[in-house]
Short mmCIF file of all heavy atoms in Angstrom, two decimals:
data_model
loop_
_atom_site.label_atom_id
_atom_site.label_comp_id
_atom_site.label_asym_id
_atom_site.label_seq_id
_atom_site.Cartn_x
_atom_site.Cartn_y
_atom_site.Cartn_z
N ASP H 1 0.82 -1.23 0.00
CA ASP H 1 0.00 0.00 0.00
C ASP H 1 0.85 1.28 0.00
O ASP H 1 0.62 2.19 0.79
CB ASP H 1 -0.96 0.01 1.20
CG ASP H 1 -1.97 -1.11 1.12
OD1 ASP H 1 -2.41 -1.42 -0.01
OD2 ASP H 1 -2.32 -1.68 2.17
N TRP H 2 1.83 1.33 -0.88
CA TRP H 2 2.67 2.52 -0.96
C TRP H 2 1.83 3.74 -1.29
O TRP H 2 0.89 3.68 -2.07
CB TRP H 2 3.74 2.36 -2.03
CG TRP H 2 4.87 1.47 -1.62
CD1 TRP H 2 5.04 0.83 -0.43
CD2 TRP H 2 5.98 1.11 -2.42
NE1 TRP H 2 6.19 0.10 -0.42
CE2 TRP H 2 6.80 0.25 -1.64
CE3 TRP H 2 6.39 1.43 -3.70
CZ2 TRP H 2 7.99 -0.27 -2.11
CZ3 TRP H 2 7.57 0.90 -4.17
CH2 TRP H 2 8.36 0.06 -3.38
N LEU H 3 2.21 4.86 -0.71
CA LEU H 3 1.52 6.11 -1.00
C LEU H 3 1.97 6.70 -2.33
O LEU H 3 1.23 7.41 -2.99
CB LEU H 3 1.76 7.12 0.12
CG LEU H 3 1.22 6.71 1.49
CD1 LEU H 3 1.61 7.74 2.54
CD2 LEU H 3 -0.29 6.54 1.44
N GLN H 4 3.20 6.43 -2.71
CA GLN H 4 3.73 6.94 -3.97
C GLN H 4 4.29 5.78 -4.78
O GLN H 4 4.98 4.91 -4.25
CB GLN H 4 4.83 7.97 -3.73
CG GLN H 4 5.30 8.63 -5.02
CD GLN H 4 6.30 9.73 -4.76
OE1 GLN H 4 6.97 9.75 -3.74
NE2 GLN H 4 6.42 10.64 -5.69
N HIS H 5 3.98 5.77 -6.05
CA HIS H 5 4.48 4.72 -6.92
C HIS H 5 5.79 5.15 -7.57
O HIS H 5 6.23 6.28 -7.42
CB HIS H 5 3.43 4.36 -7.98
CG HIS H 5 3.14 5.48 -8.91
ND1 HIS H 5 2.26 6.50 -8.61
CD2 HIS H 5 3.61 5.77 -10.15
CE1 HIS H 5 2.22 7.36 -9.61
NE2 HIS H 5 3.03 6.94 -10.56
N LEU H 6 6.39 4.23 -8.30
CA LEU H 6 7.65 4.49 -8.98
C LEU H 6 7.41 4.54 -10.48
O LEU H 6 6.70 3.71 -11.02
CB LEU H 6 8.66 3.39 -8.64
CG LEU H 6 8.92 3.15 -7.16
CD1 LEU H 6 9.80 1.92 -6.97
CD2 LEU H 6 9.55 4.36 -6.52
N ASP H 7 8.01 5.52 -11.13
CA ASP H 7 7.96 5.62 -12.59
C ASP H 7 9.32 5.18 -13.13
O ASP H 7 10.33 5.85 -12.88
CB ASP H 7 7.68 7.06 -13.05
CG ASP H 7 6.30 7.54 -12.68
OD1 ASP H 7 5.37 6.72 -12.62
OD2 ASP H 7 6.15 8.76 -12.47
N TYR H 8 9.35 4.06 -13.84
CA TYR H 8 10.61 3.53 -14.38
C TYR H 8 10.84 4.03 -15.80
O TYR H 8 9.95 3.99 -16.63
CB TYR H 8 10.59 2.00 -14.38
CG TYR H 8 11.15 1.41 -13.13
CD1 TYR H 8 10.37 1.28 -12.00
CD2 TYR H 8 12.48 0.99 -13.06
CE1 TYR H 8 10.89 0.74 -10.84
CE2 TYR H 8 13.00 0.45 -11.90
CZ TYR H 8 12.20 0.33 -10.80
OH TYR H 8 12.72 -0.21 -9.66
N PHE H 9 12.06 4.48 -16.04
CA PHE H 9 12.52 4.87 -17.36
C PHE H 9 13.81 4.10 -17.62
O PHE H 9 14.49 3.68 -16.69
CB PHE H 9 12.80 6.38 -17.43
CG PHE H 9 11.61 7.23 -17.11
CD1 PHE H 9 11.35 7.62 -15.81
CD2 PHE H 9 10.74 7.63 -18.11
CE1 PHE H 9 10.25 8.40 -15.50
CE2 PHE H 9 9.64 8.40 -17.82
CZ PHE H 9 9.40 8.79 -16.51
N ALA H 10 14.16 3.92 -18.88
CA ALA H 10 15.40 3.22 -19.21
C ALA H 10 16.09 3.91 -20.39
O ALA H 10 15.43 4.45 -21.28
CB ALA H 10 15.11 1.76 -19.55
N VAL H 11 17.40 3.90 -20.36
CA VAL H 11 18.19 4.45 -21.45
C VAL H 11 18.48 3.34 -22.45
O VAL H 11 18.86 2.24 -22.07
CB VAL H 11 19.52 5.03 -20.90
CG1 VAL H 11 20.42 5.48 -22.03
CG2 VAL H 11 19.24 6.18 -19.96
N ASP H 12 18.27 3.62 -23.72
CA ASP H 12 18.57 2.65 -24.78
C ASP H 12 19.92 3.02 -25.38
O ASP H 12 20.05 4.02 -26.09
CB ASP H 12 17.47 2.68 -25.85
CG ASP H 12 17.68 1.65 -26.93
OD1 ASP H 12 18.65 0.88 -26.86
OD2 ASP H 12 16.86 1.61 -27.87
N LEU H 13 20.93 2.22 -25.09
CA LEU H 13 22.28 2.47 -25.60
C LEU H 13 22.59 1.59 -26.82
O LEU H 13 23.75 1.36 -27.15
CB LEU H 13 23.31 2.25 -24.49
CG LEU H 13 23.16 3.17 -23.27
CD1 LEU H 13 24.15 2.77 -22.17
CD2 LEU H 13 23.32 4.62 -23.65
N ASN H 14 21.56 1.12 -27.47
CA ASN H 14 21.68 0.32 -28.70
C ASN H 14 22.51 -0.94 -28.53
O ASN H 14 23.13 -1.42 -29.49
CB ASN H 14 22.24 1.16 -29.85
CG ASN H 14 21.32 2.27 -30.24
OD1 ASN H 14 20.10 2.11 -30.27
ND2 ASN H 14 21.88 3.44 -30.53
N GLU H 15 22.58 -1.46 -27.31
CA GLU H 15 23.32 -2.68 -27.02
C GLU H 15 24.77 -2.63 -27.51
O GLU H 15 25.34 -3.64 -27.94
CB GLU H 15 22.57 -3.90 -27.58
CG GLU H 15 21.19 -4.05 -26.97
CD GLU H 15 20.40 -5.24 -27.48
OE1 GLU H 15 21.00 -6.18 -28.01
OE2 GLU H 15 19.17 -5.21 -27.36
N GLU H 16 25.36 -1.44 -27.45
CA GLU H 16 26.74 -1.26 -27.88
C GLU H 16 27.71 -1.92 -26.91
O GLU H 16 27.45 -2.04 -25.72
CB GLU H 16 27.07 0.24 -27.98
CG GLU H 16 26.31 0.94 -29.08
CD GLU H 16 26.64 2.42 -29.13
OE1 GLU H 16 26.62 3.07 -28.08
OE2 GLU H 16 26.91 2.91 -30.23
N TYR H 17 28.85 -2.31 -27.43
CA TYR H 17 29.92 -2.89 -26.62
C TYR H 17 30.73 -1.76 -25.99
O TYR H 17 31.86 -1.50 -26.36
CB TYR H 17 30.81 -3.80 -27.46
CG TYR H 17 30.09 -5.05 -27.92
CD1 TYR H 17 29.60 -5.16 -29.21
CD2 TYR H 17 29.91 -6.11 -27.04
CE1 TYR H 17 28.93 -6.30 -29.61
CE2 TYR H 17 29.24 -7.26 -27.44
CZ TYR H 17 28.76 -7.34 -28.72
OH TYR H 17 28.10 -8.47 -29.11
N SER H 18 30.15 -1.11 -25.02
CA SER H 18 30.73 0.09 -24.44
C SER H 18 31.98 -0.17 -23.60
O SER H 18 32.81 0.71 -23.44
CB SER H 18 29.69 0.83 -23.60
OG SER H 18 29.14 -0.05 -22.65
N ALA H 19 32.13 -1.35 -23.05
CA ALA H 19 33.29 -1.64 -22.19
C ALA H 19 34.57 -1.79 -22.99
O ALA H 19 35.65 -1.86 -22.42
CB ALA H 19 33.03 -2.90 -21.37
N LEU H 20 34.47 -1.83 -24.31
CA LEU H 20 35.64 -2.10 -25.14
C LEU H 20 36.33 -0.85 -25.67
O LEU H 20 37.44 -0.93 -26.18
CB LEU H 20 35.24 -2.99 -26.32
CG LEU H 20 34.58 -4.32 -25.93
CD1 LEU H 20 34.16 -5.08 -27.16
CD2 LEU H 20 35.49 -5.15 -25.06
N PHE H 21 35.66 0.32 -25.57
CA PHE H 21 36.25 1.53 -26.13
C PHE H 21 35.78 2.74 -25.32
O PHE H 21 34.58 2.99 -25.19
CB PHE H 21 35.86 1.68 -27.60
CG PHE H 21 36.35 2.94 -28.23
CD1 PHE H 21 37.71 3.21 -28.31
CD2 PHE H 21 35.47 3.86 -28.75
CE1 PHE H 21 38.17 4.38 -28.89
CE2 PHE H 21 35.92 5.03 -29.34
CZ PHE H 21 37.28 5.29 -29.41
N GLY H 22 36.74 3.49 -24.78
CA GLY H 22 36.43 4.64 -23.93
C GLY H 22 35.65 5.74 -24.63
O GLY H 22 34.87 6.44 -24.01
N GLY H 23 35.84 5.89 -25.95
CA GLY H 23 35.12 6.92 -26.69
C GLY H 23 33.61 6.69 -26.66
O GLY H 23 32.83 7.64 -26.58
N VAL H 24 33.22 5.44 -26.70
CA VAL H 24 31.80 5.11 -26.62
C VAL H 24 31.27 5.49 -25.25
O VAL H 24 30.17 6.03 -25.12
CB VAL H 24 31.56 3.60 -26.90
CG1 VAL H 24 30.13 3.21 -26.63
CG2 VAL H 24 31.95 3.26 -28.33
N LEU H 25 32.05 5.24 -24.21
CA LEU H 25 31.63 5.58 -22.85
C LEU H 25 31.39 7.07 -22.69
O LEU H 25 30.44 7.49 -22.04
CB LEU H 25 32.67 5.10 -21.83
CG LEU H 25 32.80 3.60 -21.66
CD1 LEU H 25 33.97 3.27 -20.74
CD2 LEU H 25 31.52 3.01 -21.12
N GLU H 26 32.25 7.89 -23.29
CA GLU H 26 32.07 9.34 -23.22
C GLU H 26 30.75 9.77 -23.85
O GLU H 26 30.01 10.56 -23.28
CB GLU H 26 33.23 10.06 -23.92
CG GLU H 26 34.52 10.06 -23.17
CD GLU H 26 34.45 10.88 -21.89
OE1 GLU H 26 33.77 11.93 -21.86
OE2 GLU H 26 35.08 10.46 -20.91
N GLU H 27 30.48 9.23 -25.03
CA GLU H 27 29.22 9.57 -25.71
C GLU H 27 28.01 9.08 -24.93
O GLU H 27 26.99 9.77 -24.83
CB GLU H 27 29.22 8.99 -27.13
CG GLU H 27 30.23 9.61 -28.06
CD GLU H 27 30.02 11.12 -28.20
OE1 GLU H 27 28.87 11.56 -28.39
OE2 GLU H 27 31.03 11.85 -28.11
N GLN H 28 28.11 7.89 -24.36
CA GLN H 28 26.99 7.36 -23.58
C GLN H 28 26.76 8.19 -22.32
O GLN H 28 25.61 8.43 -21.94
CB GLN H 28 27.25 5.90 -23.22
CG GLN H 28 27.12 4.98 -24.42
CD GLN H 28 27.43 3.53 -24.08
OE1 GLN H 28 28.01 3.22 -23.06
NE2 GLN H 28 27.02 2.64 -24.97
#
């Protein structure tokens, strides 16, 4: 019986292999 609910949002990073290149991390 929570008084306030949670609104979930998610970021779509296009399933990129971000751990392999720092430049991708900066853009993300």
Side-chain angles (χ1 to χ4, degrees):
D1 296 324
W2 284 359
L3 297 176
Q4 186 175 23
H5 64 278
L6 305 173
D7 293 329
Y8 269 83
F9 301 89
V11 174
D12 184 1
L13 299 175
N14 296 321
E15 299 180 21
E16 293 179 312
Y17 292 102
S18 54
L20 304 177
F21 177 61
V24 172
L25 291 174
E26 286 293 325
E27 293 301 314
Q28 288 178 343

